[in-house]
Amino acid sequence: MTQPTFFIPHGGGPCFFMDPTDPDRPHSDSMWHPMQAHLAGLIAGLPERPRAILLVSGHWEEAAFTVHAGEKPSLLFDYYGFPPHTYTLRWDAPGAPDLARRAAGLLGDAGFATAEEVARGWDHGVFIPMKVALPDADIPVAQLSLRHDLDPAAHIAAGRALAPLRDEGVLIVGSGMSFHNLRVRGAAAIAQSTTWDYALTAAVTDPDPRSRAARVAAWDDLPQARFAHPREEHLLPLMVALGAGGDDEATCVHHSQVMGWAVSGYRFG
């Protein structure tokens, strides 16, 4: 059975695990609860349980698309200024080196330069949302980097190259944030982030797949684009998920407001 693809919001730092008395229990400020609930239901809403997950995080960039092929990845605590207990979190899912190399092979066949590494830990764009979605850490995960040039068309094309994985029981997930401007929060962000969110969702859910891809690739022509993303690394995982989604229906499956930001998540297929 063909798996869908997702673009998920991964929150802010360890936002879902801020309770020092029970750090393994998702707990957060109530503004994060809708996002947390969306992530917690991610696997249950699938047509069948995936055999593995290929995840692209907005927190890893390389000159070429790079796969993490480690068997037991460590965690990379790449957030700052949070309570001490959030630097001792655990999420012990196995790596998926065979999937990582299969993904690199598909990208190579499509003409992309690729690389492989085994030493880098999973960043918080991986382990924080997956710790909510998969608290038992019982599905293997392979991580794929963004390409440092952040070329939207190239990332959409990379997603298309990876699409065969969907028929092999693999769930492809882009992990980022549909709005990511850390310099503005609260009331100052609401109106402009809402304008952006409406425009982005209209582009992503365009029923014509060719028009959809073109509109999302030209994301910085949308209203409030650079207000929403002064730098677009948190948006680029969407391009991979969209490309891998192919001609399948695109839907907005999550919407919430955090820190004054309008935030959405999308499903393809």
Side-chain angles (χ1 to χ4, degrees):
M1 185 173 290
T2 302
Q3 291 286 352
T5 73
F6 284 93
F7 173 69
I8 61 168
H10 64 224
C15 61
F16 308 119
F17 299 98
M18 296 292 284
D19 183 357
T21 66
D22 189 359
D24 287 327
R25 179 174 64 87
H27 172 88
S28 64
D29 186 289
S30 61
M31 73 175 175
W32 296 105
H33 288 175
M35 190 181 298
Q36 184 173 297
H38 168 61
L39 295 171
L42 201 70
I43 302 301
L46 296 175
E48 62 183 20
R49 189 172 178 83
R51 70 168 182 87
I53 296 171
L54 179 68
L55 190 145
V56 185
S57 164
H59 289 278
W60 186 21
E61 301 172 32
E62 297 289 349
F65 288 114
T66 302
V67 292
H68 189 302
E71 293 187 0
K72 295 181 179 180
S74 60
L75 302 187
L76 176 61
F77 295 100
D78 56 338
Y79 44 73
Y80 308 96
F82 288 92
H85 79 273
T86 64
Y87 298 91
T88 61
L89 295 173
R90 294 188 60 179
W91 191 68
D92 298 326
D98 289 347
L99 170 58
R101 294 180 179 118
R102 168 74 171 137
L106 289 169
L107 291 169
D109 290 345
F112 289 102
T114 65
E116 176 185 316
E117 67 84 48
V118 297
R120 184 183 189 275
W122 282 332
D123 58 66
H124 76 275
V126 181
F127 75 85
I128 291 298
M130 288 295 100
K131 189 172 168 64
V132 178
L134 281 174
D136 294 331
D138 55 355
I139 296 177
V141 175
Q143 186 177 3
L144 172 68
S145 79
L146 297 173
R147 204 170 71 178
H148 187 67
D149 64 4
L150 302 180
D151 178 350
H155 285 77
I156 291 172
R160 290 192 185 113
L162 295 167
L165 296 173
R166 298 174 57 198
D167 293 322
E168 300 171 13
V170 175
L171 179 66
I172 298 174
V173 176
S175 172
M177 290 286 280
S178 63
F179 183 97
H180 194 256
N181 182 347
L182 298 177
R183 296 180 295 211
V184 59
R185 304 182 187 188
I190 293 172
Q192 288 163 287
S193 71
T194 300
T195 296
W196 156 257
D197 186 78
Y198 180 85
L200 178 65
T201 296
V204 171
T205 59
D206 188 322
D208 180 337
R210 185 172 298 181
S211 174
R212 175 196 310 162
R215 291 171 67 182
V216 175
W219 70 273
D220 55 355
D221 291 334
L222 298 176
Q224 304 298 336
R226 285 297 172 183
F227 178 83
H229 291 278
R231 188 174 186 275
E232 59 267 37
E233 78 287 342
H234 274 66
L235 187 64
L236 264 292
L238 168 62
M239 313 298 174
V240 180
L242 182 151
D247 292 345
D248 287 354
E249 181 183 13
T251 55
C252 180
V253 291
H254 171 75
H255 181 77
S256 60
Q257 189 174 95
V258 294
M259 302 188 293
W261 304 353
V263 177
S264 290
Y266 306 102
R267 173 173 171 156
F268 304 90

